[in-house]
Amino acid sequence: MKVLVAVKRVVDYNVKVRVKADNSGVDLANVKMSMNPFCEIAVEEAVRLKEKGVATEIVVVSIGPATAQEQLRTALALGADRAVLVESADELNSLAVAKLLKAVVDKEQPQLVILGKQAIDSDNNQTGQMLAALTGYGQGTFASKVEVSGDKVAVTREIDGGAQTVSLSLPAIVTTDLRLNEPRYASLPNIMKAKKKPLEVLTPDALGVSTASTNKTVKVEAPAARSAGIKVKSVAELVEKLKNEAKVI
């Protein structure tokens, strides 16, 4: 079974994001970039499926600038077999990404596609669902457990009321939640081996996909600074401040 895993290059989660002085976007100059944490979980799940003998090949795909090869090499070091980069310098929305992934799915014909449920930069939580709609595949979102059996995959998904298990016919789309697994670290020998694994570079034009967007970013602003909170010594003092200072009661 071939598994396709989508990964995204994002600002490292430890970095405090800064807005450009002209408010045109996020300042990425000299900022550490990493693989999206939810995508790391997706790669780990694919590798575990291969270790169980369920998956025979893992293909990782990323859409973005040439520098996204760094994150693809990381995925290869974690256990993926080969990588595909759809190189684009444009600011792509979720639908454009889903269309490009659809083209890659058509090309690769995987039995299972695994994505992170969302990216920590745009935080949209849309691409997996859009890809399922475009391909017509069944989808299991917010997965906390994935079990493949024959031509079926059972996905336990996290919902507001607890957990729900859905049975999907392959091929299918799965998006990963935090509690699905704990991603491993790449060993030095595997990092060195990853440098020799195949990485194919494509373009949206080569895939026959238009990435033109109907959305335009008008302005990006940092959150307004908030005053520090205070501690009160008693319920009476809390009520007094809520009544006379905050004026909410």
Side-chain angles (χ1 to χ4, degrees), residues 1 11 13 54 70 92-93 118 148 160 185 189 204 206 224 240:
M1 182 176 79
V11 176
Y13 70 93
V54 175
E70 178 186 352
L92 304 176
N93 60 25
Q118 64 197 79
V148 179
D160 291 341
Y185 290 98
E240 189 274 329

Side-chain angles (χ1 to χ4, degrees), residues 72-86:
L72 288 173
R73 291 294 179 192
T74 298
L76 292 171
L78 291 171
D81 297 297
R82 57 188 178 88
V84 176
L85 173 63
V86 181

